[in-house]
Amino acid sequence: MFKPHGKHLIGGEWLAGDQTFASSPSSGEAHDFSVGRVSDVDAAAQAAELAFWSYGYSSAEERATFLNTIADEIEARAEEITEIGCQESGLPVARLQGERGRTTGQLRLFASHILQGNYLDRRHDAALPDRAPLPRPELFMMQRPIGPVAVFGASNFPLAFSVAGGDTAAALAAGCPVVVKGHSAHPGTGEIVAEAILAAVRKCGIHPGVFSLIQGGNRQVGAALVQHPLIKAVGFTGSLAGGRALFDLCAQRPEPIPFFGELGSVNPMFIFEGALTNRGNEIAKGWAGSLSMGAGQFCTNPGIAILMAGEDAQKFTETASAALAETSAQTMLTDGIASAYRDGQRRIASTSGVREVLTSTCNQRDATPYLYETTAKNWLANEALAEEVFGPLGVIVIAQSSDEMRDVALSLQGQLTCTVHIDDEDTPNAARFIPILERKAGRILANGFPTGVEVSDTMVHGGPYPASTNFGATSVGTLSIRRFLRPVCYQNLPSALLPEGIQADELS
């Protein structure tokens, strides 16, 4: 059985702080962990900068081996990770096992991706000495790593969006050392994953400053991390309020840096008339399952369903309510998240023009589903209804016409996903919506549910603000590596001074 020692990992050394905080597991024994300090941030950033001078110029083969070794070391600790992850988060064993597979899969995917070399976007313009009126010099361009990166662990994914999650995997693949601020919801899980990374560092002979973990417990650490002059970018998954505060700090630095925050989304579903008539019950049951999956604690949780008024809409509401009523209480990730869920439920319930369809009672850290209904007119008039409620709560929005449904689409803020449920007869009407949804979301689905994000070359997990703080980026998939690279042009440099892999004969 794994017993945490509660220390930070900084520059290859486990270091204790002078203050501790106790974990708050959903089951099992609580453990003490060192509270992060501003001095820990400085030490970790300094170590990362030292590591960059070797790691940032290592070969793709070396980094791929490192990423694969991290995955191996995580798998070697599989049972211990699952045990403490379940205790801390309350997530079931199968969920933790699947998330561990996603975590190691991301690492291996990036290892394969960088070996292909396409992510470097290498370009070459041959010299044109005889061009009139002016000659052209020889030009090369390729993507280069930006330097040390800060990563904030997410509360809802103890593995896949945390210490060795997608942000860390992408940054390490790019050649950037990483300083992680661990989430206080699962510090023991973070510690054991950090042990796996340290083992890989030692096996591969990597500079130990390439990775550091500073445990939570102190909000000043997050501010110090994003403001440290050696940190060149930030990856964050979390609340809109917390992410926006860190984003503003990044922008206010003497040297502003990019803040890649994935913040919040209600992930609306538009159910068109043909699909509602032909498959309304099926869609309603599927929505209820997606809405309550993992106690609704997914950033792609589809909280809003928009459909046309009529008997089919009434049947949809009844079916969804019956399906949600059968959902048992589920443990939420933290006491704070459970409290915020109850606050969000009260906010929706107290909004004028909202009808209660299904109510329940949440106790302490448990979550049960809620379902509400309102009109499109009322939804458009109440901005509070468009704010995310992190948990298994759904709002059905009833429109009187297709134009009113379209008005709802036009009013949306940025989303991670938007979904259309359509049958063949709905295609002409749906075609009016797609250009709108393209401007609102990073991923558009048809006849499915957005929970479950594929880790692949084509995935976009991001979108216009407030879904994310950088609409040109994704936090999932191989394209996410571009967040931690920048293009450099080399003019008339001799081959001996060009980076490896960019010589003219290699690009021809």
Side-chain angles (χ1 to χ4, degrees), residues 117 119-124 140-145 485-490 498-503 507:
Y119 77 101
L120 294 170
D121 193 17
R122 293 170 291 193
R123 305 183 184 196
H124 175 224
F140 292 92
M141 188 276 283
M142 72 184 298
Q143 302 286 338
R144 301 298 291 156
L485 298 164
R486 66 179 182 87
V488 178
C489 178
Y490 304 89
L498 289 171
E500 181 181 354
I502 200 174
Q503 281 75 18
L507 295 179

Side-chain angles (χ1 to χ4, degrees), residues 333-412:
L333 291 156
T334 69
D335 293 330
I337 289 173
S339 177
Y341 175 55
R342 291 191 291 270
D343 289 343
Q345 177 269 323
R346 286 190 287 266
R347 170 174 54 81
I348 297 295
S350 63
T351 301
S352 175
V354 172
R355 181 176 75 88
E356 184 181 87
V357 178
L358 174 68
T359 188
S360 56
T361 302
C362 294
N363 295 313
Q364 297 179 338
R365 199 159 156 175
D366 288 340
T368 48
Y370 291 85
L371 184 62
Y372 298 93
E373 183 182 280
T374 191
T375 64
K377 182 178 180 180
N378 191 59
W379 196 87
L380 289 166
N382 289 280
E383 292 184 2
L385 293 176
E387 296 175 8
E388 180 184 27
V389 177
F390 197 60
L393 182 148
V395 178
I396 297 173
V397 179
I398 304 295
Q400 295 300 316
S401 67
S402 177
D403 285 343
E404 203 169 55
M405 283 182 69
R406 190 169 180 271
D407 288 340
V408 171
L410 286 166
S411 75
L412 290 171

Side-chain angles (χ1 to χ4, degrees), residues 80-309:
E80 292 177 314
I81 289 172
T82 299
E83 181 181 31
I84 194 165
C86 290
Q87 289 176 357
E88 291 185 325
S89 67
L91 295 172
V93 170
R95 160 69 191 274
L96 263 295
Q97 291 173 337
E99 193 179 328
R100 189 186 70 248
R102 172 173 170 169
T103 304
T104 56
Q106 288 175 155
L107 290 160
R108 298 191 193 283
L109 177 64
F110 275 110
S112 174
H113 182 65
I114 60 177
L115 289 176
Q116 296 171 15
N118 296 334
Y119 77 101
L120 294 170
D121 193 17
R122 293 170 291 193
R123 305 183 184 196
H124 175 224
D125 287 319
L128 299 175
D130 299 325
R131 189 182 67 174
L134 295 172
R136 183 176 75 185
E138 184 174 39
L139 300 169
F140 292 92
M141 188 276 283
M142 72 184 298
Q143 302 286 338
R144 301 298 291 156
I146 59 174
V149 169
V151 171
F152 285 72
S155 63
N156 59 334
F157 281 86
L159 299 173
F161 277 87
S162 237
V163 173
D167 288 342
T168 298
L172 292 177
C176 299
V178 173
V179 179
V180 172
K181 181 185 180 294
H183 200 288
S184 57
H186 40 74
T189 309
E191 181 183 303
I192 193 171
V193 173
E195 286 190 352
I197 298 175
L198 179 59
V201 166
R202 290 170 175 169
K203 280 189 176 182
C204 297
I206 304 292
H207 189 292
V210 74
F211 175 84
S212 292
L213 168 66
I214 302 172
Q215 292 288 10
N218 186 344
R219 292 190 176 183
Q220 290 180 334
V221 169
L225 188 54
V226 302
Q227 291 181 303
H228 197 285
L230 295 177
I231 296 298
K232 299 303 178 185
V234 179
F236 173 91
T237 299
S239 69
L240 175 59
R244 182 56 196 250
L246 294 173
F247 173 84
D248 290 343
L249 288 176
C250 288
Q252 292 163 9
R253 288 174 36 143
E255 178 202 358
I257 59 171
F259 179 86
F260 298 104
E262 190 263 278
L263 305 183
S265 181
V266 296
N267 304 293
M269 301 191 317
F270 293 85
I271 306 171
F272 288 80
E273 288 184 277
L276 183 61
T277 298
N278 300 332
R279 300 183 288 110
N281 286 347
E282 175 189 337
I283 297 170
K285 291 176 182 178
W287 181 48
S290 182
L291 190 66
S292 59
M293 182 184 297
Q297 297 170 117
F298 290 95
C299 45
T300 53
N301 191 39
I304 308 292
I306 304 101
L307 52 153
M308 292 280 288

